[in-house]
C-alpha cells in the first residue's frame, strides 16, 4: 500500500490542524494505521494509531485529549485532528500502515513521505 500524507502547515500555539493520509494500491480496510512524528535532532516517535476497523485507537500520553485519529475505509483515508497545538508538537508527521494485528504502536512497514507541522509560540 502506498501512503500520501498532507495537511501540514504553520499554526500558532493553541490552534488546530487536520492531517490526512490517503492510501492506494492495497486493501486499506485490512491495515492498521498510525501516525508518527520526528522533530529536528530527535528520533521518530509514536503519536497515535487506529486499528483496521476503526474500533480501537491508541494514543501516546502527550497527545491524549488533544489529538483524534479517525479513518474512512470507503475513502481509503486516515485523519489526524490536532487541537490545542503546542510548540513542542513541531515535527514532520508521518503516516504508516501495517497489516492488521499485533501491537498498534510498532511494526509498521509502509510509510508515507511526511508532512511538516510547525507550531509557533
Amino acid at each position: 500500500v502506498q501512503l500520501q500524507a498532507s495537511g501540514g502547515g504553520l499554526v500558532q500555539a493553541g490552534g488546530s490542524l487536520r492531517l490526512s493520509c490517503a492510501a492506494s494500491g492495497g486493501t486499506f480496510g485490512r491495515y492498521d494505521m498510525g501516525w508518527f512524528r520526528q522533530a529536528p535532532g530527535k528520533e521518530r516517535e509514536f503519536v497515535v494509531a487506529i486499528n483496521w476497523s476503526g474500533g480501537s485507537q491508541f494514543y501516546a500520553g502527550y497527545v491524549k485529549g488533544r489529538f483524534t485519529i479517525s479513518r474512512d475505509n470507503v475513502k481509503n483515508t486516515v485523519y489526524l485532528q490536532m487541537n490545542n497545538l503546542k510548540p513542542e508538537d513541531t515535527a514532520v508527521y508521518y503516516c504508516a500502515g501495517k497489516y492488521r494485528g499485533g501491537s498498534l504502536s510498532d511494526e509498521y512497514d509502509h510509510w508515507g513521505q511526511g508532512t511538516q507541522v510547525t507550531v509557533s509560540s
Side-chain angles (χ1 to χ4, degrees):
V1 62
Q2 290 78 47
L3 304 174
Q4 180 77 31
S6 61
L10 173 65
V11 63
Q12 289 188 332
S16 298
L17 280 175
R18 188 195 196 202
L19 306 184
S20 299
C21 177
S24 62
T27 307
F28 180 72
R30 296 179 182 175
Y31 281 77
D32 298 332
M33 298 297 297
W35 288 95
F36 293 73
R37 68 186 185 186
Q38 187 167 18
K42 295 186 177 181
E43 293 188 353
R44 186 171 62 196
E45 62 182 5
F46 170 79
V47 178
V48 60
I50 188 167
N51 78 330
W52 60 276
S53 69
S56 178
Q57 302 91 41
F58 180 58
Y59 291 86
Y62 42 81
V63 302
K64 204 167 187 178
R66 300 188 297 124
F67 291 11
T68 302
I69 190 171
S70 61
R71 67 188 294 160
D72 186 331
N73 284 353
V74 175
K75 295 182 178 180
N76 290 352
T77 303
V78 62
Y79 305 98
L80 180 61
Q81 178 66 43
M82 304 185 294
N83 298 328
N84 191 22
L85 282 161
K86 304 176 181 180
E88 51 264 42
D89 294 319
T90 295
V92 177
Y93 283 71
Y94 298 90
C95 63
K98 66 179 181 73
Y99 194 77
R100 63 189 182 191
S103 169
L104 280 179
S105 62
D106 57 16
E107 300 178 350
Y108 287 85
D109 53 3
H110 299 273
W111 294 87
Q113 86 289 3
T115 185
Q116 175 71 47
V117 172
T118 303
V119 184
S120 63
S121 57

